């Protein structure tokens, strides 16, 4: 089965063609980082306009690199949420038009489910039950996955996402956007024990995350220590490198420690760590350590599949298409789309759950 995946939920315009949900025939990603860099974050209006400019050439490129015609595909999968509404609508409208023109089946995919499927290409098949840590610029969630397609949120951030914390801390230190890769690079030359930050724990004992207090603690440290933000990006001070290492180590300990604690309760057979922050080497190392202690494997996507891409959307969509799912022409974007379809906790959350049992 050849599936075209389309992803435009945030600031990457991406299209990919995937065979049988496991083999990438082509994958094209146009990043908008250059557009948003000077603002230190994604500007939604600029993002949707750029998606409009790029969607046609990017999909064309995916077909030409795959060396197949549009008539050869068996279905289309498109991200319908969560994400930025203007950005999502570009992909959803384009995918609907293409499905109509080609008379091919269409399915909507949850972006977070896509991130979970990003590990399908370069790892052995997932053994269930699995525990998935999805860490990106917009999301930080721990999902218990008892079988394919069934999700229970067992941990989530109460404020900022982990990637968002990297981006905000980088900004206040005068570093480039996106902050994650820059902080990781500086942290390699810094002492993670130089500044001690408390690992955020929830008052109610739940395995949730919180990164906004840590960002404020970094801000307070900068103010009180008199540390100067970076003015020349080529020459960061040792103090900045130490602070980057200390911040990164706190985030990594919080993520890996919580994943370990939850795994001891849910006894998964596989750990999955995916999303943009899964590029982080320190997080990978800490996750491998946790997996080693638990005696189970941990699967990561390769770095180019960790950040937003359409191959993961095609992979998640293939499962739905194979199960006979078909979207109607009323398919719409849902900025608040959740990924939880078992043991949904409360009525408020239930309103946003699409894929129920
Ligand atoms: O998955 P993604 O491309 O987009 C979202 O769905 O949000 O993730 C982007 C996020 C950014 O916040 C970026 O700073 C972070 O992933 N990131 C990293 C690293 N590479 C990207 N964070 C920490 N270390 C990295 N090496
Ligand atoms: Zn993402």
């Amino acid at each position: 089965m050849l599936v075209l995946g389309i992803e435009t939920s945030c600031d990457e315009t991406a299209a990919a063609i995937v065979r049988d949900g496991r083999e990438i025939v082509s994958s094209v990603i146009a990043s908008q980082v250059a557009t948003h860099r000077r603002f230190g974050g994604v500007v939604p209006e600029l993002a949707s306009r750029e998606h409009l400019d790029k969607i046609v050439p990017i999909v064309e490129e995916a077909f030409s690199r795959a060396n197949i015609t549009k008539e050869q595909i068996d279905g289309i999968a498109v991200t319908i949420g969560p994400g930025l509404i203007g950005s999502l609508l570009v992909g959803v409208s384009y995918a609907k038009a293409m499905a109509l023109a080609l008379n091919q089946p269409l399915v909507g995919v949850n972006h977070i489910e896509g991130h979970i499927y990003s590990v399908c290409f370069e790892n052995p098949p997932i053994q269930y039950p699995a525990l998935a840590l999805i860490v990106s610029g917009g999301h930080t969630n721990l999902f218990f996955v008892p079988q394919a397609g069934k999700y229970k949120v067992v941990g989530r951030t109460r404020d900022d996402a982990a990637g968002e914390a990297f981006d905000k801390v980088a900004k206040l230190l005068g570093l480039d956007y996106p902050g994650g890769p820059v902080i990781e690079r500086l942290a390699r030359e810094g002492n993670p024990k130089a500044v001690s930050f408390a690992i955020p724990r929830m008052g109610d004992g739940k395995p949730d995350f919180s990164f906004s207090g840590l960002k404020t603690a970094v801000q307070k440290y900068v103010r009180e220590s008199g540390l100067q933000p970076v003015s020349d990006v080529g020459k960061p001070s040792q103090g900045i490198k130490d602070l980057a290492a200390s911040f990164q180590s706190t985030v990594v300990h919080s993520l890996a420690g919580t994943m370990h604690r939850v795994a001891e309760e849910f006894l998964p057979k596989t750990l999955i760590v995916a999303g943009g922050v899964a590029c982080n080497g320190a997080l990978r190392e800490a996750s491998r350590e946790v997996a080693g202690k638990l005696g189970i494997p941990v699967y990561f996507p390769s770095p180019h599949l960790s950040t937003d891409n359409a191959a993961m959307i095609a992979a998640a969509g293939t499962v739905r298409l194979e199960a006979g799912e078909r979207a109607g022409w009323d398919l719409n974007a849902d900025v608040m789309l959740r990924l939880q379809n078992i043991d949904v906790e409360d009525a408020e959350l239930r309103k946003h759950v699409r894929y129920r049992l």
Side-chain angles (χ1 to χ4, degrees), residues 12 111 115 136-138 163-164 166-167 178-181 184 275-277 279-280 306-308:
E12 262 95 23
H111 180 81
H115 274 299
S136 72
E164 193 180 353
F166 271 93
D167 296 339
E184 177 174 19
V277 184
C279 289
N280 189 280
S306 294
T307 47
D308 290 348

Side-chain angles (χ1 to χ4, degrees), residues 319-340:
V319 178
R320 297 187 173 277
L321 287 164
E322 277 173 344
E325 189 177 314
R326 301 288 182 262
W329 300 124
D330 57 350
L331 182 72
N332 207 351
D334 180 349
V335 290
M336 295 288 289
L337 188 63
R338 303 290 161 101
L339 183 64
Q340 167 145 258

Side-chain angles (χ1 to χ4, degrees), residues 295-309:
I296 57 174
V298 55
Y299 295 164
F300 307 99
S302 59
H304 78 283
L305 293 171
S306 294
T307 47
D308 290 348
N309 65 87

Side-chain angles (χ1 to χ4, degrees), residues 141-351:
N141 283 313
L142 263 171
F143 291 98
F144 178 60
V145 194
Q147 62 187 88
K150 300 271 186 270
Y151 303 98
K152 175 183 166 68
V153 177
V154 288
R156 86 282 288 147
T157 181
R158 301 236 176 137
D159 39 61
D160 292 354
E164 193 180 353
F166 271 93
D167 296 339
K168 286 180 175 171
V169 164
K171 193 173 178 181
L172 74 91
L173 297 183
L175 302 169
D176 219 353
Y177 171 84
V182 189
I183 289 188
E184 177 174 19
R185 189 159 35 78
L186 296 183
R188 278 192 215 114
E189 292 166 20
N191 173 9
K193 297 208 165 82
V195 190
S196 114
F197 293 117
I199 294 184
R201 292 199 204 289
M202 299 306 114
D204 56 13
K206 286 203 174 142
D208 287 348
F209 307 101
S210 165
F211 297 108
S212 146
L214 176 60
K215 176 197 65 196
T216 310
V218 172
Q219 209 163 20
K220 186 162 172 274
Y221 176 82
V222 171
R223 203 173 48 236
E224 289 176 0
S225 68
L227 187 70
Q228 289 303 309
V230 178
S231 49
D232 178 352
V233 278
K235 292 199 193 87
S237 65
Q238 191 56 41
I240 291 281
K241 291 177 185 172
D242 288 345
L243 184 53
S246 304
F247 161 77
Q248 175 178 279
S249 149
T250 311
V251 174
V252 165
H253 273 96
S254 166
L255 294 171
T258 306
M259 180 165 68
H260 193 178
R261 188 178 137 203
V262 170
E264 282 177 332
E265 183 185 339
F266 284 86
L267 303 173
K269 289 189 179 146
T270 315
L271 291 182
I272 294 168
V273 180
V277 184
C279 289
N280 189 280
L283 177 61
R284 287 189 177 217
E285 203 182 303
S287 305
R288 277 194 202 101
E289 243 169 66
V290 170
K293 282 185 195 149
L294 296 165
I296 57 174
V298 55
Y299 295 164
F300 307 99
S302 59
H304 78 283
L305 293 171
S306 294
T307 47
D308 290 348
N309 65 87
M312 66 185 194
I313 303 302
T318 300
V319 178
R320 297 187 173 277
L321 287 164
E322 277 173 344
E325 189 177 314
R326 301 288 182 262
W329 300 124
D330 57 350
L331 182 72
N332 207 351
D334 180 349
V335 290
M336 295 288 289
L337 188 63
R338 303 290 161 101
L339 183 64
Q340 167 145 258
N341 51 20
I342 47 173
D343 300 341
V344 177
E345 295 140 311
D346 56 51
E348 193 45 43
L349 198 60
R350 189 173 283 269
K351 276 195 226 155

